[in-house]
Amino acid sequence: MTQPLSPAELARRIPKAELHLHIEGSLEPELIFSLAQRNGVSLPYASVEALRAAYAFTDLQSFLDIYYAGASVLLREADFYDMAWAYFERAHADRVIHAELFFDPQTHTERGVSMAAVIGGLSRACADAQQKLGISAALILCFLRHLSEDDAFATLEAALPHRAHFIGVGLDSSELGHPPSKFERVFARCRELGLHVVAHAGEEGPPEYMWQAIDLLKVERIDHGVACLQDPLLVAELAHTRLPLTVCPLSNLKLSVVNDLSAHPLKRMLDAGLCVTINSDDPAYFGGYMNANFVQTVEALGLTRDEVITLARNSFEASFVDADRRSACLQQVSSLARVQA
Ligand code: ADE
Ligand code: ZN
């Protein structure tokens, strides 16, 4: 009989899905500098170290300002490919076997980059992730909520020739002051088109934004959603419907949503019966990829092996993968769970 793994070691080894990852947030400073050089883009930082030193965020907006500046080095199809491929190699090392990647086309098209270059490079990396690493991967196009709904409609139009290469839409960027209600019509159109729909809500915003995401946008998952604990009725609704919440602990720590990981609400959310998953959000900026999020959260909150297994299972149950692949992934979790539970 082999010794059971510690919860942290089990978290490292268990197969998992990543459902909340902004691919532009996986751009490491070294890659930002090498793409800047390749493309002749000048950066307002003298070195990789100087850039990294600027990653001292106080809230979501202070992060977004640097995040959009970092993305300015992405110009060609190959840049998008290289960024996504670097992410997949790291995800593979963390036992991520399925990934649904957010991308922010408006950040690029407003600089004159074509939609074809953005989606072409990212989708080619997804195909290679499947073929070379065995990771099933898909893309989710995010609308920037600080821009108008008309802008979101124009972005959707520009993306539709590439419809085969993305499975859904999301809503991200500055949350406060930009409620889901602002995007009700464009999300209705996306649902008509058969796209999956998700939205960031309850990261810095109030539970009311989560209700709007549910009632007006009719989302299939909420990204973050940690504000739900402020509203017992909302918690009851989420427990009843099992609407998944893609939680990002290190992001919440770095953006001061929580002061310390030991105060993170993830365990309370699990205890309330919510379908919670762990994700990395913008790992190059927040101090770690999937396993760093998993392991640090397990250690800070004292999560058990059973809770680790639940989190891994939730990640596949909350994913948009097809039924065959979902059961194959869950089977892999069960094989490990059988010897570890
Ligand atoms: N874009 C990239 N990361 C984000 C986050 N954590 N919240 C909102 N928009 C984002
Ligand atoms: Zn996010």
Side-chain angles (χ1 to χ4, degrees):
M1 178 78 184
T2 50
Q3 279 292 100
L5 302 171
S6 68
E9 192 52 31
L10 179 61
R12 278 188 198 95
R13 294 199 204 173
I14 204 159
K16 49 190 84 80
E18 174 130 77
L19 306 178
H20 183 161
L21 176 280
H22 302 265
I23 196 59
E24 293 89 349
S26 74
L27 256 186
E28 292 287 342
E30 290 78 7
L31 188 53
I32 291 179
F33 268 80
S34 84
L35 292 177
Q37 192 167 38
R38 181 159 105 186
N39 291 330
V41 174
S42 70
L43 291 168
Y45 300 94
S47 64
V48 164
E49 293 69 34
L51 176 56
R52 223 184 269 283
Y55 293 0
F57 314 118
T58 50
D59 58 11
L60 177 57
Q61 194 58 52
S62 64
F63 154 69
L64 290 170
D65 294 341
I66 287 202
Y67 162 85
Y68 294 127
S72 69
V73 300
L74 297 159
L75 294 183
R76 294 177 230 287
E77 194 258 15
D79 304 338
F80 291 90
Y81 176 90
D82 291 347
M83 169 174 66
W85 183 251
Y87 164 71
F88 283 125
E89 288 194 312
R90 289 171 192 265
H92 184 58
D94 282 0
R95 289 292 282 139
V96 171
I97 61 171
H98 176 74
E100 294 172 11
L101 276 49
F102 292 143
F103 68 108
D104 287 340
Q106 287 153 297
T107 307
H108 313 299
T109 52
E110 72 178 10
R111 295 181 289 110
V113 177
S114 71
M115 190 66 84
V118 177
I119 298 184
L122 297 179
S123 60
R124 193 159 62 84
C126 289
D128 278 0
Q130 175 74 68
Q131 203 174 46
K132 298 182 181 163
L133 303 173
I135 299 178
S136 45
L139 298 173
I140 296 179
L141 182 161
C142 282
F143 300 121
L144 299 180
R145 68 200 306 157
H146 67 273
L147 300 178
S148 69
E149 189 181 43
D150 282 349
D151 214 317
F153 266 115
T155 303
L156 177 63
E157 245 356 272
L160 282 181
H162 311 279
R163 170 72 183 83
H165 295 299
F166 60 101
I167 60 164
V169 297
L171 186 64
D172 66 1
S173 193
S174 321
E175 186 181 9
L176 286 170
H178 302 285
S181 56
K182 184 175 160 186
F183 296 92
E184 193 174 348
R185 290 171 316 142
V186 74
F187 268 65
R189 177 74 190 123
C190 291
R191 293 196 313 275
E192 272 170 20
L193 290 166
L195 288 158
H196 288 292
V197 290
V198 300
H200 283 53
E203 179 184 17
E204 283 188 343
E208 166 59 18
Y209 284 19
M210 295 179 66
W211 282 115
Q212 287 187 12
I214 297 166
D215 293 337
L216 305 181
L217 305 188
K218 305 190 192 312
V219 293
E220 296 162 80
R221 297 195 295 248
I222 289 182
D223 298 307
H224 292 293
V226 287
C228 70
L229 291 182
Q230 299 165 27
D231 179 344
L233 268 185
L234 179 56
V235 172
E237 169 78 6
L238 294 168
H240 175 68
T241 59
R242 297 281 295 162
L243 186 80
L245 306 176
T246 62
V247 174
C248 306
L250 288 179
S251 164
N252 295 153
L253 180 64
K254 290 290 153 71
L255 301 187
S256 305
V257 172
V258 295
N259 295 328
D260 194 279
L261 264 196
S262 64
H264 196 281
L266 180 131
K267 183 164 166 48
R268 279 174 282 148
M269 294 164 84
L270 277 176
D271 290 346
L274 308 189
C275 181
V276 178
T277 70
I278 288 189
N279 307 271
S280 67
D281 206 6
D282 300 285
Y285 293 90
F286 298 150
Y289 287 75
M290 178 58 108
N291 278 359
N293 275 274
F294 236 110
V295 168
Q296 290 183 45
T297 305
V298 163
E299 288 177 342
L301 299 179
L303 300 185
T304 63
R305 276 192 288 276
D306 278 349
E307 286 169 328
V308 169
I309 293 163
T310 296
L311 286 162
R313 270 196 222 292
N314 287 351
S315 74
F316 296 111
E317 273 157 14
S319 78
F320 297 136
V321 76
D322 67 66
D324 285 353
R325 173 75 178 148
R326 188 195 316 275
S327 58
C329 292
L330 285 168
Q331 196 56 47
Q332 289 193 42
V333 174
S334 297
S335 314
L336 190 56
R338 214 169 294 124
V339 272
Q340 292 295 331

